[in-house]
Amino acid sequence: MYVREESSWLKHADFLILDMICVQISLILSYCIRHGWNSLPFHDSNYLYLDLVLCMGCIIVSIITHAYSEILRRGYLKEFVAVGKEALLLFFFVLSLLFFFKNSNAYSRTTLMLFPAFSFLRFTRR
């Protein structure tokens, strides 16, 4: 007898891992465009903290928005909107944490503004 699987975000853990890799690449690209291509953001403790916040935020935003529900069946337009919504929510999540912890002066505005643009480019991931 066929038993329907319970709706769970863990059954699409591969997409979550790919999203986190794309977020890492977005952070590296935005950092390297601003600070030069000879250094990585992981050498600066502030950007390492930002990286951890981004990973945590990626998981939280994916769970809250149900980003992986019917992911294999939706078309390009729905995927485009879903990825855009995820990228903006992740960006506002990071900005709100930086605002609440009063730590925004440690980060480059250029890096913070380029990050959602590169994060949105992960539309091609699925």
Side-chain angles (χ1 to χ4, degrees):
M1 184 169 159
Y2 176 73
V3 177
R4 185 176 179 150
E5 285 187 34
E6 184 179 317
S7 172
S8 172
W9 61 273
L10 278 177
K11 69 181 180 180
H12 293 297
D14 52 347
F15 289 115
L16 180 63
I17 291 169
L18 283 174
D19 279 348
M20 290 176 70
I21 289 170
C22 290
V23 164
Q24 298 296 318
I25 292 170
S26 300
L27 178 64
I28 290 170
L29 284 175
S30 59
Y31 181 87
C32 288
I33 285 175
R34 168 59 179 93
H35 297 283
W37 295 95
N38 55 356
S39 65
L40 289 176
F42 311 117
H43 298 303
D44 186 357
S45 62
N46 289 322
Y47 284 96
L48 185 61
Y49 167 73
L50 180 64
D51 182 43
L52 294 174
V53 168
L54 285 172
C55 288
M56 180 182 66
C58 185
I59 294 170
I60 291 170
V61 167
S62 296
I63 291 172
I64 289 174
T65 62
H66 303 286
Y68 306 121
S69 63
E70 297 185 11
I71 191 169
L72 299 174
R73 289 185 224 139
R74 59 184 172 206
Y76 288 115
L77 181 62
K78 286 184 181 180
E79 184 64 22
F80 186 75
V81 170
V83 172
K85 186 168 69 170
E86 287 177 57
L88 286 176
L89 284 174
L90 183 60
F91 177 64
F92 289 127
F93 176 77
V94 168
L95 284 183
S96 63
L97 284 179
L98 291 177
F99 175 76
F100 286 123
F101 290 125
K102 296 182 181 180
N103 197 14
S104 62
N105 60 350
Y107 304 100
S108 166
R109 289 176 296 193
T110 306
T111 302
L112 291 176
M113 296 310 282
L114 284 174
F115 171 75
F118 287 125
S119 182
F120 185 69
L121 290 178
R122 62 191 171 133
F123 169 68
T124 59
R125 78 185 188 277
R126 297 181 188 157

